[in-house]
Amino acid sequence: MAQLWGGRFAGETDKQAWRFNASIGFDQRLLREDIEGSIAHAKMLQKQGILTDEEASDIVRGLTAIYADVYAGALPIEDRFEDVHSFVEYHLIERVGDAGKKLHTGRSRNDQVALDMRLYTRRRVVETDKLLRELRTTLLTLMEEHIHTVMPGFTHLQKAQPVTLAHHLGAYFEMFTRDSGRLRDLCARLNVCPLGAGALAGTTYPLDRDYTATLLGFDGPTRNSMDSVSDRDYIVEFDAALSLIMMHLSRFCEEVILWNSNEYGFVEIDDAYSTGSSIMPQKKNPDIAELVRGKTGRVYGDLMQILTTLKGIPLAYNKDMQEDKEGCFDAADTVADCLLLFNAMIKTMKFRKERMEQSAALGFTNATDAADYLVGKGVPFRDAHGIIGRLVRYCIDKNCAIDDLAIDEFRQFSDAFDEDIYEAVSLKTCVEKRLTTGAPGTEAMRKEIEESKRVLSEDWTKVYEEEEEHHE
Ligand code: ARG
């Protein structure tokens, strides 16, 4: 056991209590952030004359070497350490001696871990947005390709009106664009530096908190030291944003699963992203889509966990806060995996245009347009609605589509019908005439695609990445 707080204790920590208390098993994922934060802290102490130039450069050299050695596999992270902070400090002292013992001047593990989690979350927020961007790019490519691919649009899972595949996919583009906006908002809010808050009440050393904040790419220091060490709002916000991404992915997966079924046959998932059954030789299952749908529950769980963990904690730091990590890691990892695989799956998925068009043609999706046609001939809409309803019933009995009827049959229902009814209810007309902003008609859709391209070209993560590179 190697801990940072032996002095006060006469007795040993119970073995089970030690294991229960330790966080090294999971917080080792914060190694990079811990070292980045410590380097910035050392540089600031040097600037303030609290460390000599030599001490600071020994510390920076030592920390850099520890990081390199761990990543090269030369320095294992052993569980005799309580947490990643103890691990780093122990090895730093081993390597650079007394200078290493001075690194923790004016710092507490409370502001240290608060900093590490913020840096870590910021990095994962940016990474998540990159994956979202790849998926949005795929969607946009598919939208351009399928601007004329007619399919039924559904309400209540009943065929409603004809739309295009581009339009349907565009709905998801909007959802994922909102998700990106949420990541952007929360990233701006989290981008303040808690380092220098100390255990809870700041410190008597003349620290320059603005300087550390700048070194680490933050917009500035946090304003209240007690809040700094106990704020985990940004994890809640990140988990909430991730939950919404999962909700959107899950709805999309549900559709892919339906579309991939024999009954719909709208798409065929590539072999690379399907699996078979051990007993039923004919099966090709949409497991990836099902798993993404299933993992949504897990990310919601992570959100509920952090909210519940935080709800009763008095100011300032309490050990409960150590429970902020695993859920955050899990949610970020899960979403990263899901975005990656979902994107690969739809990129390789075959869209069966003819099946989609046929399904739209056979589902009375042009019934609204038939009613609108009668309105154009002077029939009040409510009467037109009734007439087309009876006409649809007639078609169902005859097992045919509206446009299969002969003109005499149309006229049995209303003498307002003319030869131009065929043109008016053709699927092509039904889609093309929907030209209001946001509708599936080709011209409206082209505008939507242009606007989507413009939105996609705005990359808000650039500013954070430059910061990352800056202190790498
Ligand atoms: N492992 C701890 C955590 O993750 C680090 C902070 C410990 N601070 C303390 N006062 N015990 O929250």
Side-chain angles (χ1 to χ4, degrees):
M1 293 190 231
Q3 78 277 58
L4 300 169
W5 36 263
R8 159 79 174 75
F9 288 76
E12 287 281 302
T13 317
D14 171 79
K15 278 210 164 50
Q16 294 299 345
W18 171 269
R19 181 189 55 76
F20 187 68
N21 183 60
S23 53
I24 188 82
F26 47 87
D27 70 12
Q28 51 182 278
R29 288 185 69 164
L30 300 176
L31 181 74
R32 172 176 164 175
E33 286 71 23
D34 200 66
I35 288 191
E36 279 171 6
S38 289
I39 289 177
H41 185 63
K43 287 183 175 167
M44 182 276 295
L45 292 177
Q46 173 190 10
K47 181 175 113 35
Q48 298 304 94
I50 301 167
L51 289 180
T52 66
D53 292 353
E54 203 192 333
E55 286 167 338
S57 76
D58 281 351
I59 289 174
V60 172
R61 186 175 39 79
L63 290 169
T64 312
I66 291 171
Y67 185 67
D69 286 353
V70 170
Y71 277 86
L75 181 60
I77 301 182
E78 298 158 39
D79 59 11
R80 69 191 168 98
F81 296 100
E82 182 185 348
D83 52 29
V84 68
H85 325 295
S86 321
F87 166 80
V88 172
E89 192 173 310
Y90 174 89
H91 284 286
L92 183 67
I93 295 168
E94 279 243 309
R95 287 169 187 227
V96 308
D98 280 352
K101 293 187 185 164
K102 295 189 179 177
L103 170 64
H104 212 51
T105 312
R107 189 173 69 169
S108 155
R109 274 186 297 165
N110 297 353
D111 59 343
Q112 185 177 1
V113 78
L115 169 70
D116 292 2
M117 273 309 277
R118 259 183 215 263
L119 286 171
Y120 180 87
T121 307
R122 186 175 74 185
R123 179 154 65 84
R124 298 303 302 261
V125 169
V126 166
E127 283 172 15
T128 306
D129 196 69
K130 285 214 155 340
L131 291 163
L132 260 184
R133 169 171 299 275
E134 279 165 30
L135 174 56
R136 289 159 73 214
T137 307
T138 303
L139 288 175
L140 203 47
T141 309
L142 288 169
M143 283 161 74
E144 289 195 284
E145 195 180 320
H146 290 288
I147 200 161
H148 296 299
T149 305
V150 175
M151 66 178 287
F154 297 84
T155 62
H156 313 271
L157 208 53
Q158 314 272 337
K159 291 179 196 175
Q161 289 173 345
V163 295
T164 63
L165 180 55
H167 193 237
H168 197 117
L169 297 175
Y172 286 101
F173 184 90
E174 293 303 308
M175 296 178 223
F176 295 126
T177 297
R178 288 197 295 276
D179 289 329
S180 170
R182 264 183 285 273
L183 294 175
R184 176 188 195 152
D185 295 347
L186 79 92
C187 207
R189 221 171 356 260
L190 81 71
N191 204 35
V192 280
C193 185
L195 198 61
L200 77 163
T203 158
T204 54
Y205 294 99
L207 304 188
D208 184 346
R209 295 194 57 209
D210 287 284
Y211 184 67
T212 358
T214 307
L215 285 181
L216 292 166
F218 286 109
D219 296 331
T222 49
R223 295 200 308 187
N224 178 295
S225 63
M226 293 184 79
D227 180 46
S228 309
V229 292
S230 64
D231 172 26
R232 297 293 184 276
D233 290 4
Y234 58 94
I235 300 178
V236 175
E237 288 191 54
F238 186 36
D239 282 355
L242 293 174
S243 293
L244 281 165
I245 294 174
M246 288 306 291
M247 186 265 278
H248 296 148
L249 282 176
S250 186
R251 293 181 71 173
F252 207 158
C253 282
E254 172 66 15
E255 299 205 305
V256 168
I257 293 161
L258 285 172
W259 292 357
N260 186 65
S261 68
N262 281 333
E263 285 68 19
Y264 278 75
F266 287 4
V267 298
E268 192 180 336
I269 299 175
D270 194 83
D271 283 1
Y273 301 100
S274 317
T275 56
S277 155
S278 60
I279 176 173
M280 296 165 283
Q282 83 283 13
K283 290 286 280 282
K284 199 175 130 182
N285 297 328
D287 296 42
I288 301 296
E290 289 170 351
L291 266 176
V292 172
R293 191 177 58 185
K295 283 175 190 288
T296 304
R298 172 178 178 144
V299 176
Y300 290 3
D302 292 326
L303 170 63
M304 287 308 128
Q305 179 264 319
I306 185 68
L307 276 170
T308 313
T309 294
L310 293 173
K311 79 178 252 298
I313 309 184
L315 287 177
Y317 178 87
N318 297 262
K319 196 62 173 251
D320 317 43
M321 286 177 165
Q322 181 165 289
E323 290 293 312
D324 64 351
K325 294 175 190 60
E326 288 165 289
C328 175
F329 300 161
D330 180 69
D333 291 347
T334 304
V335 170
D337 250 7
C338 290
L339 283 170
L340 191 90
L341 277 150
F342 185 83
N343 184 30
M345 179 183 73
I346 61 164
K347 251 183 164 163
T348 51
M349 194 162 79
K350 198 155 77 206
F351 290 93
R352 299 174 66 190
K353 293 187 193 186
E354 37 352 294
R355 288 276 306 191
M356 291 184 172
E357 267 165 41
Q358 200 184 15
S359 168
L362 292 177
F364 302 107
T365 57
N366 51 0
T368 316
D369 299 85
D372 289 342
Y373 168 89
L374 290 177
V375 172
K377 300 279 175 182
V379 181
F381 181 77
R382 194 49 57 213
D383 294 339
H385 187 283
I387 292 166
I388 302 299
R390 287 190 288 280
L391 185 132
V392 165
R393 216 170 349 120
Y394 176 81
C395 289
I396 291 170
D397 289 342
K398 256 195 98 178
N399 195 19
C400 70
I402 295 177
D403 22 348
D404 291 336
L405 298 179
I407 190 66
D408 299 342
E409 291 175 292
F410 275 114
R411 293 223 169 99
Q412 284 169 29
F413 293 88
S414 165
D415 44 22
F417 282 116
D418 252 316
E419 284 292 341
D420 56 352
I421 178 65
Y422 295 104
E423 167 70 18
V425 298
S426 84
L427 276 187
K428 195 166 154 29
T429 317
C430 296
V431 173
E432 287 307 328
K433 280 171 91 177
R434 300 192 133 73
L435 290 172
T436 41
T437 302
T442 309
E443 276 326 300
M445 199 62 220
R446 274 197 213 292
K447 282 188 202 146
E448 186 179 325
I449 289 175
E450 280 323 300
E451 175 60 10
S452 302
K453 278 188 185 163
R454 193 192 60 71
V455 168
L456 192 61
S457 72
E458 291 170 351
D459 186 356
W460 61 266
T461 64
K462 288 224 162 67
V463 40
Y464 298 100
E465 285 192 319
E466 277 156 21
E467 281 162 7
E468 292 271 323
E469 278 161 23
H470 175 70
H471 64 268
E472 229 159 50

